[in-house]
Amino acid sequence: MCFYLMPINLMHPIYHSFELPTDTTWMEIPEFSPHAYEVEVAEYKGTTNKVVMIIVWKWGTTSGYQNKYITIASNLAEKYGVSVFVVENPWISRDDPRLFVECAMGFVEEQMKKSGFDDWEIYGMGHSAGAHFWGRFAHLYPNVSKLLLINPVVSVNFTKLKKELQTYQGELFLIQWSKDHDFFYNPLLDPIKTDKKQVIILEWVNHEFSNEGGFELFLSLAETYLF
């Protein structure tokens, strides 16, 4: 098991955005939200063909509370040479989450090709709704070899989520907290467990990590379980 170390210097990411298609029937852009379909991505360039792609929780930003995603991404890029892409999770992603993930994956592919890579391996990480999206659709992408799902929303489309987690062929670490509001679903996750797929229960931590020590624990999860 690894332990979290604060990087000496936080990296300055490259900020990009991609757009979800608006010429569809499933989406209506509010009158006063002309840029709601733009999704911001913070890229931390690495030196290897490994990628950590983080989808944050609903309405979350690429920096996160107290710059937590800047800290996590800087640490991983500096210590392991991976490229890290932190993808925001705007309201519009709920309208077609599969398309949202597809567009995010397409954006990462474009950036990795620009960086000179022909192939790459992806470690997916998500919190809350971001973890749910990874759980639902990671099986569609064979180069996603590891998943870290932190307090995924399991009470929504649970049957589909369970089936798709079973379909996924890579390593899976599903972290659930005993104080999470979806914790009572935990016994129903037993069918997904294999030697490669773990459901890990951490005591006394709530969904938002607002308990004492929760923030520091969140910072450590990517390194602990993905590396």
Side-chain angles (χ1 to χ4, degrees):
M1 178 178 294
C2 300
F3 295 93
Y4 174 75
L5 294 175
M6 181 71 72
I8 297 174
N9 295 303
L10 296 181
M11 297 177 65
H12 297 288
I14 304 168
Y15 290 101
H16 311 272
S17 67
F18 64 84
E19 294 185 1
L20 294 176
T22 58
D23 56 345
T24 58
T25 59
W26 54 263
M27 180 171 59
E28 180 180 352
I29 303 295
E31 180 180 358
F32 299 108
S33 299
H35 300 297
Y37 55 83
E38 290 191 8
V39 180
E40 183 176 274
V41 181
E43 177 186 5
Y44 300 75
K45 285 190 176 294
T47 57
T48 71
N49 70 337
K50 284 188 169 56
V51 171
V52 176
M53 179 175 160
I54 302 172
I55 303 178
V56 305
W57 76 342
K58 64 180 180 179
W59 305 307
T61 67
T62 59
S63 56
Y65 173 71
Q66 291 189 4
N67 291 328
K68 64 183 180 182
Y69 290 116
I70 296 177
T71 301
I72 292 169
S74 296
N75 186 56
L76 297 182
E78 291 183 357
K79 289 189 68 174
Y80 301 100
V82 296
S83 292
V84 184
F85 295 86
V86 184
V87 183
E88 73 168 330
N89 198 338
W91 65 270
I92 206 168
S93 65
R94 279 87 181 142
D95 292 324
D96 193 333
R98 180 169 177 166
L99 179 62
F100 169 72
V101 173
E102 180 182 329
C103 289
M105 291 291 285
F107 176 81
V108 169
E109 177 180 355
E110 178 183 354
Q111 296 305 312
M112 290 301 288
K113 286 181 177 178
K114 287 181 179 179
S115 295
F117 294 99
D118 296 320
D119 60 83
W120 47 89
E121 180 182 5
I122 296 179
Y123 298 168
M125 172 181 169
H127 177 210
S128 193
H132 179 91
F133 293 165
W134 267 127
R136 289 286 310 280
F137 306 114
H139 71 280
L140 299 174
Y141 304 96
N143 61 339
V144 178
S145 62
K146 292 184 183 181
L147 281 183
L148 173 60
L149 309 184
I150 304 169
N151 268 356
V153 176
V154 294
S155 58
V156 177
N157 291 319
F158 175 77
T159 301
K160 290 182 179 179
L161 176 64
K162 182 177 72 171
K163 179 181 178 180
E164 286 149 352
L165 287 174
Q166 289 175 299
T167 302
Y168 174 66
Q169 296 299 304
E171 290 185 70
L172 169 67
F173 303 94
L174 192 157
I175 309 292
Q176 196 174 34
W177 316 104
S178 63
K179 297 302 179 182
D180 182 64
H181 46 65
D182 278 357
F183 182 72
F184 63 91
Y185 275 83
N186 180 261
L188 301 179
L189 294 171
D190 285 346
I192 76 169
K193 297 177 182 178
T194 68
D195 291 341
K196 293 173 61 177
K197 300 177 182 179
Q198 301 180 40
V199 177
I200 299 155
I201 305 301
L202 298 181
E203 300 293 339
W204 302 108
V205 184
N206 60 25
H207 191 77
E208 297 82 11
F209 300 87
S210 60
N211 60 295
E212 184 178 356
F215 179 75
E216 291 75 18
L217 180 58
F218 187 90
L219 294 179
S220 74
L221 294 177
E223 186 171 357
T224 298
Y225 292 101
L226 295 178
F227 296 90

